[in-house]
Amino acid sequence: HLQDYSKGNLDVEIRGSDLIYIMFTSGTTGRPKGTQIRHRSVVRVVCQTNYVDLNEQDTGLLLSNYAFDGCVFALFGALLNGGRCVLATDKERQDLNSIAQLIEKHQVTQFFVTTALFNLLVDNVLSSLNSIRYLCFGGEAVSVAHTKKAFEVLGPDKLIHCYGPTETTVFATAYTITNLDDIDTTVPIGKAIANTTLFVLDEFQQPVAHGIPGELYIGGDGVAIAYFKRPELTAEKFVSSPFGEDTLYRTGDFVKWDEHGNLVFLGRIDHQVKVRGYRIELSEIEGRITQYEFAKDAFVCVKKDESTAQLIVAYVVPSTKTDDFKQGLTYYLNNHLPVYMQPAVIILLDELPLNVNGKVDHKGLPEAVFEQAEIVLPTTEQEKLLVQLWQEMLSVEQVSIYDSFFALGGDSVKAIQMASHLQALGYGLESTQIFQQPALIDLAKKLQTCEDSYQLLTTEPQQEEDLGINKIDQEQLEDIFSDLGIE
């Protein structure tokens, strides 16, 4: 019986350097790794810090399970500051209306959500967030459009974009949004929270200049003790610092300093993918898609087609679903992304599937079907010329005027060949223009401009039964590539 035991506190001395918990995460390999965290690391997240000022009047809301380090902010934010914490049930945290009711009923003032769940709250129950003092969000690529929408309702100093690996205890950086002009194209991850140090280093662990990408290293009181019974992994990720810190954690994240001294997240080093010889940050593609005015959310990954080629797949949630959404988005990306970063497949969803922690559930995404997009036939003479040329050069049966030269299989060599052939027909088109605007409809407009503004190189274009491509000597191509810096 409990009444038979002492009501006094346990006679145990607790120091800030002692272990408070071990949190297991799967990481990129799928093999769980246990991160050992100190008491002082947790205290620094919610007490006497520089990004929030929690007190006994605050009510937090826990929307994650206890195996996710996001729970630390809600639980200890209340326990260490004399406030309250509302614990959502599994059923409640998977229902937006239930979350909204909890916030309104308990007048919740602060909580943390993943970016994906933040987007859903903004789209569906934004009006329920009026009691919020601090809404922290992070963990995945952030949507500028959703952030702006939330700012317009909640106002300045309430939205905080947070960043931090489990190994540095919940948050390492924070960016409080005070002005919409500061998040025009991206939302920074901000500056170090209290008792945290940040270093952006090159491959030789030397500091890089502002604006130059590098790997983020984190030091200070938030750095974990080690991985539980993983000495080799600990030695790889927790390294001695050349700058006076005891230990730095290598995040594996690419970042850069912006002109205001804030960190901008660029992507994962070990989540880079290689497509057609180019290293690509998938988060950059996601960010560009969500800047399209009719796209609400996006998740991008790489899958293999039947030929085992690596192809980029974009799962997109439209804000307004129309019959020509894919064509409009494809055309937008053709003009805003390098050709090697353009998705081969775009799959439309009503919502991105989320797991219990509010992150995108990869297993819940539908399989990608690599199929030809809807064909929009050419109408102008220039469009017809390019369609015929692309069919022969790229060995494709059908070409839409919205297709990209490179998405259909074009490359540097074929771009030079195509430009050479068009020049032989009297059009002053350079291969660099194909890289700048690879969509057929845009190239056709350039050909029209050539006819309207310039004299043709020959008064009578060559009449050919077919559009056979001029062969360019291999040595000549190598010289051209060398001049362009292309291997």
Side-chain angles (χ1 to χ4, degrees), residues 60-64 66 71 74-75 84-90 92-93 102 106:
L61 174 62
L62 178 59
L63 290 176
S64 66
Y66 307 110
C71 75
L75 288 175
R84 296 190 306 154
C85 182
V86 178
L87 307 180
T89 65
D90 288 343
E92 286 172 332
R93 66 171 173 250
L102 286 174
H106 298 283

Side-chain angles (χ1 to χ4, degrees), residues 5-14:
Y5 292 89
S6 171
K7 297 179 181 179
N9 289 328
L10 296 175
D11 186 18
V12 177
E13 181 182 356
I14 299 296

Side-chain angles (χ1 to χ4, degrees), residues 217-283:
Y217 289 65
I218 300 174
D221 287 347
V223 176
I225 301 170
Y227 290 120
F228 182 65
K229 294 185 177 181
R230 298 285 296 276
E232 292 183 359
L233 185 59
T234 297
E236 176 188 344
K237 301 294 287 185
F238 296 89
V239 300
S240 298
S241 169
F243 310 108
E245 297 280 340
D246 292 334
T247 302
L248 296 180
Y249 173 68
R250 296 188 61 172
T251 65
D253 288 334
F254 262 139
V255 298
K256 67 177 181 180
W257 297 106
D258 68 11
E259 64 272 20
H260 302 294
N262 292 301
L263 282 181
V264 176
F265 181 82
L266 301 177
R268 286 288 301 168
I269 293 175
D270 56 3
H271 282 179
Q272 285 184 333
V273 296
K274 198 169 185 178
V275 179
R276 292 183 180 175
Y278 292 94
R279 292 199 176 276
I280 295 172
E281 297 290 351
L282 298 179
S283 59

Side-chain angles (χ1 to χ4, degrees), residues 353-427:
L354 304 181
N355 59 26
V356 294
N357 289 327
K359 293 190 175 184
V360 174
D361 181 7
H362 295 200
K363 295 181 180 179
L365 294 168
E367 286 296 319
V369 178
F370 298 92
E371 58 184 9
Q372 182 74 37
E374 181 182 353
I375 301 298
V376 179
L377 297 177
T379 56
T380 69
E381 292 302 317
Q382 293 78 21
E383 290 173 354
K384 293 176 182 178
L385 170 65
L386 289 177
V387 165
Q388 188 178 353
L389 180 59
W390 287 20
Q391 286 174 330
E392 182 175 344
M393 175 179 291
L394 305 177
S395 299
V396 291
E397 293 183 3
Q398 292 183 306
V399 177
S400 170
I401 64 171
Y402 291 103
D403 281 337
S404 165
F405 178 75
F406 298 96
L408 292 183
D411 53 28
S412 302
V413 175
K414 291 176 181 177
I416 293 173
Q417 289 178 325
M418 187 174 80
S420 176
H421 184 78
L422 290 171
Q423 289 165 8
L425 292 177
Y427 294 98

Side-chain angles (χ1 to χ4, degrees), residues 147-172:
T147 307
K148 288 183 175 181
K149 183 177 179 181
F151 183 93
E152 290 170 352
V153 173
L154 300 180
D157 302 326
K158 294 184 178 181
L159 297 172
I160 306 175
H161 187 209
C162 299
Y163 160 90
T166 301
E167 291 84 350
T168 60
T169 316
V170 192
F171 304 143

